[in-house]
């Protein structure tokens, strides 16, 4: 029987660890040992939050044992920062769900209007300046294309601006999950990328997303 790594699940902005519970339960049913990492997405920046993850692991996990990492939205950027700055850990595979790897247009609007809403998670993270992904890390990226959520108000406005200015050459470039554009989830260093019919938050309770996450953690690719 194939040994399965411990999976650390990391929530997104304005969320807490409980939001990852449905996904954690499905991974547990598949034989994974999971931990839902909790952090303060508003009060602390990405450097502090990945540092605290490192501290938690030092107290609760042996560095010779591989770990897998799954992050939703901002949580995926914490993964990026963590694997870059703490190379002593044996990283198996990583999956990000709706993570704006190249920065977030939605966060840009909010930062300009009411920066308190994104707090310290904007700088070095949602602004698109997070640390690069190390070459040895196997990363699978899941994006959603169902535009539901509060962020769609900003993205609909942004899409209208692009169309009016004639800058939207392809309609597929305007597809988003209600908070993050599909194009914002793409990163050249990723091993695989898949788009699924889910919204930004809905992907956390979607059985198919959980199944694809499980498949990637086992095989290093998504099931086609």
């Amino acid at each position: 029987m194939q040994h399965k790594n411990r999976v650390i699940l990391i929530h997104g902005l304005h969320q807490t660890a409980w939001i990852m519970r449905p996904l954690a339960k499905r991974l547990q049913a598949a034989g994974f040992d999971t931990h839902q990492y909790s952090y303060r997405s508003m009060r602390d920046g990405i450097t502090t939050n990945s540092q605290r993850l490192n501290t938690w692991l030092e107290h609760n996990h042996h560095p010779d044992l591989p770990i897998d990492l799954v992050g939703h939205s901002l949580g995926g950027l914490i993964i990026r920062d963590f694997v870059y700055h703490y190379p002593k850990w044996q990283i198996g595979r990583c999956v990000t769900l709706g993570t704006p790897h190249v920065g977030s247009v939605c966060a840009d609007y909010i930062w300009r209007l009411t920066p308190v809403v994104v707090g310290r998670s904007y700088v070095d993270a949602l602004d698109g300046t997070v640390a690069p992904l190390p070459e040895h890390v196997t990363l699978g990226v899941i994006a959603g294309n169902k535009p539901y959520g509060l962020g769609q108000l900003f993205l609909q406005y942004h899409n209208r601006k692009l169309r009016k200015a004639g800058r939207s050459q392809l309609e597929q470039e305007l597809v988003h999950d209600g908070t993050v554009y599909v194009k914002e989830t793409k990163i050249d260093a990723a091993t695989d990328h898949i788009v699924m019919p889910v919204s930004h938050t809905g992907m956390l309770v979607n059985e198919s997303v959980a199944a694809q996450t499980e498949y990637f953690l086992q095989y290093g690719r998504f099931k086609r």
Side-chain angles (χ1 to χ4, degrees):
M1 184 175 180
Q2 182 183 5
H3 171 75
K4 294 180 180 178
N5 299 336
R6 188 178 208 175
V7 182
I8 311 299
L9 297 108
I10 308 175
H11 63 83
L13 183 66
H14 298 149
Q15 305 289 358
T16 57
W18 70 266
I19 197 78
M20 305 299 287
R21 183 61 180 160
L23 179 55
K25 289 180 69 174
R26 289 190 172 108
L27 292 176
Q28 289 166 10
F32 288 95
D33 174 31
T34 69
H35 172 72
Q36 294 154 238
Y37 173 62
S38 180
Y39 67 97
R40 298 178 297 194
S41 63
M42 299 288 291
R43 175 185 276 181
D44 300 320
I46 190 171
T47 300
T48 297
N49 288 320
S50 61
Q51 182 182 51
R52 286 181 176 160
L53 173 58
N54 176 68
T55 300
W56 184 88
L57 286 167
E58 287 179 336
H59 288 91
N60 295 277
H61 192 81
H62 196 285
D64 290 342
L65 299 176
I67 55 173
D68 294 334
L69 298 164
V70 176
H72 175 239
S73 198
L74 176 64
L77 300 181
I78 290 179
I79 290 174
R80 293 262 306 274
D81 187 85
F82 173 77
V83 298
Y84 181 83
H85 287 107
Y86 301 98
K88 72 177 181 180
W89 298 104
Q90 303 299 312
I91 307 299
R93 290 167 180 149
C94 302
V95 176
T96 61
L97 312 171
T99 293
H101 284 288
V102 297
S104 167
V105 166
C106 186
D108 289 344
Y109 277 108
I110 297 172
W111 178 257
R112 290 197 297 268
L113 293 172
T114 53
V116 68
V117 175
V118 289
R120 296 187 178 179
S121 293
Y122 183 76
V123 177
D124 295 331
L126 295 172
D127 62 354
T129 61
V130 69
L133 187 74
E135 292 183 0
H136 69 277
V137 175
T138 301
L139 172 66
V141 176
I142 296 178
N145 63 7
K146 292 298 181 183
Y148 302 121
L150 294 177
Q152 68 176 316
L153 298 176
F154 294 105
L155 300 187
Q156 287 173 351
Y157 169 75
H158 189 68
N159 283 355
R160 287 196 298 270
K161 281 181 58 180
L162 291 177
R163 290 189 179 103
K164 188 174 182 180
R167 292 167 58 189
S168 58
Q169 297 180 355
L170 297 173
E171 283 297 310
Q172 65 188 36
E173 292 290 306
L174 308 181
V175 176
H176 58 83
D177 64 6
T179 302
V180 174
Y181 282 108
V182 168
K183 64 183 178 182
E184 293 175 333
T185 68
K186 295 181 178 180
I187 175 174
D188 290 340
T191 306
D192 202 354
H193 183 283
I194 190 170
V195 182
M196 303 186 69
V198 291
S199 66
H200 192 67
T201 302
M203 65 178 67
L204 292 177
V205 295
N206 184 273
E207 291 186 9
S208 296
V209 170
Q212 287 287 9
T213 300
E214 175 195 339
Y215 195 88
F216 188 91
L217 293 179
Q218 292 195 69
Y219 302 107
R221 67 183 186 279
F222 293 119
K223 188 175 183 180
R224 306 293 178 178

